[in-house]
Amino acid sequence: MSKLFSFSGTDNFCPGGSIYPNPKESNLLLPLGHHVDVYFPPCKRSRVGAPFVFSGERFEQKKPSIEVLPDECLFEILRRLPGGQERSACACVSKRWLTLVSHIHRDEISDIKTTEASNLKDVNSEVEDQDVQGGGYLSRSLEGQKATDVRLAAIAVGTASRGGLGKLFIQGSNSRRGVTTVGLRAISRGCPSLRVLSLWNLSSVGDEGLREIADGCHQLQKLDLCHCPAITNESLLAVAKGCPDLTDLTIEGCANIGNEGIQAVARCCPNLKSLSIKDCPLVGDQGIASLLTSASYSLTKVKLQALNITDISLAVIGHYGKAVTDLSLISLPNVTEKGFWVMGNGHGLQKLKSFTIKACLGVTDLGLEAVGKGCPNLKQFCLRKCAFLSDNGLVSLAKAAGSLESLELEECHRVTQFGFFGSLLNCGPKFKAISLVNCLGIKDLSLGLPPLSHCESLLSLSIRNCPGFGDANLAALGKLCPQLQNVELSGLHGITDAGFLPLIESCEAGLVKVNLSGCLNLSDKVVCKMADLHGWTLEMLNLDGCSNISDASLVAIAENCQLLSDLDVSKSGITDSGIAALARSSLINLQILSVSSCSMVSDKSLPSLGKLGQTLLGLNLQQCKAISCGAVDLLVEQLWRCDILF
């Protein structure tokens, strides 16, 4: 036998060993036991070439893995999964699988059915269709470092089987792994129901990413692009063609978007209702004119800020803005008085209800009067930083705008007290609210007003940070406007008891909301009188910074103000006794109480605050240095339904 095989004894044949020096050829041996190894030459090639691992006296074979498949094969497998939930589960395996699943377009999902599945009812097929398409009920938001392509891919896969993604907000970007075209491509393929898309501060997103959205999200209705420098007119061209149902467009700080992109939207999006363009230097009269003329009967809201447009755009707005109800013109340096005059005389703004003008040097008395006459349904008018507006223009506006309900003036320094009172005397019967903010031209009246008809319609008065506004003006307002309900006098150091008492005594309807924050010279006498006359209607009282207010005011409030729900006595002179008076009252039901920076409120008020806490929803104890941390901890445990600031 040894001669037959050309070996003798055990010198050249070792039990348990391999006769092949190369380990890769060890698959030619089949072990039969511990002492006998038999060599069998292969009859045919192995179909699966999985490697063998030599371990001691045994040979072990590694388990084959699906990960050895190339992406193309794995993609074909994943797109044949029966439903969205199965694909979502597979996407959780690894980033590789997530990427592949997120790149499956809805048209690429296989429609192959097994024999068993073909026997299911039509109801199941309808459910599968809903599972693929979705209705767009979900909303997702990514901010800062969370804004990455991987998260967008996860959103695209995860929302597909749960109703579909309807709104997506992306703000900020991770410098290393920010949002790129890859992430937007995943959204485009997996979220065809997307209706609202907002992109803020994304320097890595360019035209290719927006083209992906336009190709896959044809239901897009609202697009918000803010500080995306890589986006150009090409993006708007693609969106205009791919998303004809666009109704709301906001563009801010996109320096490469100009007239060509705006004109494309005008041609392809006839249902556009809202337009806001800010700080886009390439957008001029051509783009704005094309939009207004194309969407003359659909565009209802227009906001133009920091653009290089001229009087031509205002003329087009005045003639073609037939459906515009809300108009804002802010920081337009090239617009002159002629533009506002032509806009007012265009007679196209018949439906305009709200108008805001800020930092436009072209606003003058003549232009403002023309606007008042050309906008018969104007209800709310806000004028800010209009340096050339004077008393004459303000009075002319009040006479011309018969439907005006609310007027706000901010930093209009040429307007004086005569223009202020003149507008009240000449306003229409619908005028309800007036606000003055930082108007340095307002001074106190040196002479009283002559006996004139009252402004019965005025319900709300707000004077903030007008240092010249004094007691004489307040007394005159009390006689002129007896139906006041909401009064805000903030930061008026010239107001004293002598001016405010006649005002509250003249109010016949009953004060509801009163804000006297920063009025340093008011005393307890004013609060006690107000509680006595208007306690049955008063709901909100703000005495923040009124340092002369003491416990006497809180006692009067506790006895008379049964409807009061919001009280702020921060930085005042109240003590623990005042808090105790509030707690003893059976009438008062406070929901918000602020005693911030009240140095004489201490731990002794803990029982009183606990009793008040039965109705409190918010309690501000910040900078109350006499209250210990331990007392606050007890309050937090006791008032579990109340938000406490300390």
Side-chain angles (χ1 to χ4, degrees):
M1 190 70 177
S2 61
K3 293 181 180 180
L4 179 63
F5 288 96
S6 300
F7 69 89
S8 60
T10 59
D11 294 337
N12 297 323
F13 190 87
C14 299
S18 174
I19 65 174
Y20 279 88
N22 188 357
K24 294 183 179 180
E25 298 178 357
S26 60
N27 61 337
L28 301 179
L29 287 178
L30 294 178
L32 298 180
H34 292 287
H35 303 287
V36 180
D37 286 329
V38 180
Y39 170 67
F40 288 93
C43 297
K44 69 176 184 176
R45 186 175 180 180
S46 177
R47 185 175 298 274
V48 179
F52 285 82
V53 177
F54 177 73
S55 175
E57 297 181 353
R58 301 182 61 185
F59 297 95
E60 297 181 0
Q61 185 179 14
K62 284 186 177 180
K63 295 181 180 180
S65 173
I66 196 174
E67 292 294 338
V68 302
L69 295 177
D71 289 347
E72 294 79 5
C73 295
L74 192 55
F75 180 86
E76 291 297 325
I77 295 174
L78 293 175
R79 79 181 185 91
R80 284 172 168 78
L81 293 176
Q85 294 183 355
E86 288 79 2
R87 287 188 291 275
S88 297
C90 290
C92 298
V93 173
S94 64
K95 288 185 178 180
R96 180 194 177 199
W97 284 39
L98 172 62
T99 303
L100 292 174
V101 173
S102 66
H103 280 72
I104 300 176
H105 195 274
R106 58 174 178 167
D107 296 334
E108 296 174 335
I109 297 176
S110 178
D111 199 23
I112 298 175
K113 298 183 179 180
T114 62
T115 304
E116 296 180 358
S118 62
N119 296 326
L120 294 177
K121 296 180 180 181
D122 294 338
V123 176
N124 292 336
S125 62
E126 292 179 1
V127 172
E128 290 178 0
D129 293 338
Q130 293 178 0
D131 188 38
V132 173
Q133 295 180 2
Y137 307 112
L138 301 179
S139 176
R140 294 292 184 267
S141 178
L142 297 178
E143 297 183 6
Q145 294 184 352
K146 294 182 179 180
T148 61
D149 289 338
V150 174
R151 289 184 180 270
L152 284 181
I155 289 175
V157 175
T159 58
S161 59
R162 293 172 176 82
L165 184 65
K167 300 179 181 180
L168 177 60
F169 304 91
I170 308 175
Q171 183 174 359
S173 179
N174 188 330
S175 58
R176 293 184 301 147
R177 297 176 299 173
V179 173
T180 64
T181 302
V182 176
L184 294 182
R185 181 182 297 116
I187 294 296
S188 171
R189 297 193 174 189
C191 308
S193 60
L194 187 67
R195 297 189 301 271
V196 178
L197 176 62
S198 179
L199 305 177
W200 281 49
N201 300 322
L202 298 177
S203 58
S204 55
V205 173
D207 293 336
E208 186 177 354
L210 264 293
R211 279 196 293 266
E212 292 287 347
I213 295 293
D215 291 340
C217 304
H218 301 299
Q219 300 181 30
L220 190 66
Q221 297 177 359
K222 182 177 180 180
L223 178 61
D224 186 356
L225 304 175
C226 180
H227 297 293
C228 298
I231 293 179
T232 68
N233 290 324
E234 297 297 327
S235 295
L236 286 189
L237 288 170
V239 170
K241 293 179 181 179
C243 310
D245 295 333
L246 193 67
T247 60
D248 193 319
L249 177 61
T250 300
I251 306 174
E252 178 179 344
C254 297
N256 293 316
I257 292 180
N259 292 326
E260 184 180 354
I262 303 298
Q263 289 172 337
V265 174
R267 290 192 304 268
C268 303
C269 303
N271 299 320
L272 192 67
K273 296 181 180 180
S274 177
L275 173 68
S276 177
I277 306 178
K278 176 182 177 181
D279 195 18
C280 296
L282 298 182
V283 175
D285 293 328
Q286 294 180 353
I288 301 302
S290 62
L291 263 180
L292 265 296
T293 54
S294 300
S296 178
Y297 293 97
S298 64
L299 196 60
T300 59
K301 184 177 181 180
V302 177
K303 180 179 179 181
L304 306 177
Q305 181 174 355
L307 302 179
N308 294 323
I309 60 176
T310 66
D311 296 337
I312 296 176
S313 293
L314 266 62
V316 173
I317 293 174
H319 185 75
Y320 291 98
K322 301 182 183 299
V324 175
T325 59
D326 191 333
L327 178 61
S328 297
L329 303 176
I330 304 173
S331 299
L332 303 178
N334 298 326
V335 173
T336 66
E337 178 186 66
K338 181 180 179 181
F340 285 98
W341 186 87
V342 174
M343 182 176 66
N345 286 279
H347 302 291
L349 298 174
Q350 298 294 311
K351 295 184 179 181
L352 186 64
K353 295 181 180 180
S354 177
F355 195 5
T356 298
I357 303 176
K358 179 180 179 181
C360 293
L361 298 179
V363 177
T364 62
D365 296 342
L366 181 62
L368 198 61
E369 182 180 4
V371 169
K373 293 179 179 180
C375 306
N377 294 306
L378 185 63
K379 297 180 182 295
Q380 300 175 356
F381 204 170
C382 180
L383 297 165
R384 299 174 180 171
K385 298 183 178 180
C386 297
F388 297 105
L389 175 63
S390 68
D391 295 339
N392 293 332
L394 189 60
V395 174
S396 299
L397 172 68
K399 292 180 179 179
S403 300
L404 192 63
E405 297 180 0
S406 175
L407 176 63
E408 179 180 346
L409 302 177
E410 181 177 350
E411 296 188 32
C412 298
H413 301 308
R414 294 189 64 182
V415 174
T416 69
Q417 65 275 16
F418 300 107
F420 170 68
F421 282 102
S423 62
L424 293 179
L425 293 172
N426 291 277
C427 64
K430 299 180 181 180
F431 195 64
K432 298 178 181 179
I434 189 168
S435 173
L436 299 180
V437 182
N438 295 325
C439 294
L440 303 183
I442 301 291
K443 305 297 180 183
D444 209 13
L445 285 173
S446 56
L447 298 175
L449 292 176
L452 297 172
S453 60
H454 294 170
C455 182
E456 298 283 351
S457 61
L458 191 67
L459 303 178
S460 178
L461 171 68
S462 177
I463 312 293
R464 291 179 287 163
N465 301 321
C466 298
F469 201 93
D471 291 339
N473 290 340
L474 268 187
L477 279 173
K479 297 178 181 179
L480 185 62
C481 309
Q483 300 300 321
L484 282 176
Q485 296 181 8
N486 303 323
V487 176
E488 181 180 8
L489 305 174
S490 178
L492 304 183
H493 298 168
I495 297 296
T496 65
D497 296 349
F500 194 73
L501 284 174
L503 176 67
I504 59 178
E505 291 174 353
S506 301
C507 293
E508 300 173 356
L511 294 175
V512 177
K513 297 181 179 180
V514 179
N515 185 353
L516 303 175
S517 60
C519 296
L520 305 177
N521 296 316
L522 296 180
S523 67
D524 292 328
K525 186 177 181 180
V526 166
V527 179
C528 294
K529 191 68 174 180
M530 182 166 46
D532 183 33
L533 296 178
H534 304 281
W536 57 284
T537 58
L538 194 62
E539 297 178 3
M540 189 277 285
L541 179 59
N542 189 340
L543 301 172
D544 183 10
C546 299
S547 55
N548 294 327
I549 300 300
S550 66
D551 294 336
S553 295
L554 294 186
V555 172
I557 291 172
E559 294 176 352
N560 298 281
C561 302
Q562 56 184 355
L563 296 180
L564 190 66
S565 61
D566 189 340
L567 176 62
D568 190 343
V569 287
S570 301
K571 303 174 186 176
S572 65
I574 66 168
T575 67
D576 296 327
S577 300
I579 302 296
L582 288 177
R584 287 193 301 266
S585 175
S586 59
L587 299 177
I588 198 166
N589 292 290
L590 285 176
Q591 294 184 0
I592 298 176
L593 175 62
S594 178
V595 293
S596 174
S597 301
C598 293
S599 58
M600 290 182 285
V601 176
S602 66
D603 289 348
K604 295 180 180 180
S605 294
L606 182 61
S608 300
L609 292 174
K611 187 176 181 180
L612 289 171
Q614 296 176 2
T615 59
L616 281 179
L617 299 177
L619 177 61
N620 187 356
L621 301 175
Q622 291 179 315
Q623 302 300 320
C624 292
K625 298 181 180 180
I627 298 180
S628 63
C629 296
V632 175
D633 293 337
L634 292 176
L635 278 177
V636 171
E637 294 180 2
Q638 183 179 356
L639 309 180
W640 55 271
R641 63 192 296 267
C642 178
D643 292 331
I644 300 178
L645 297 178
F646 180 70

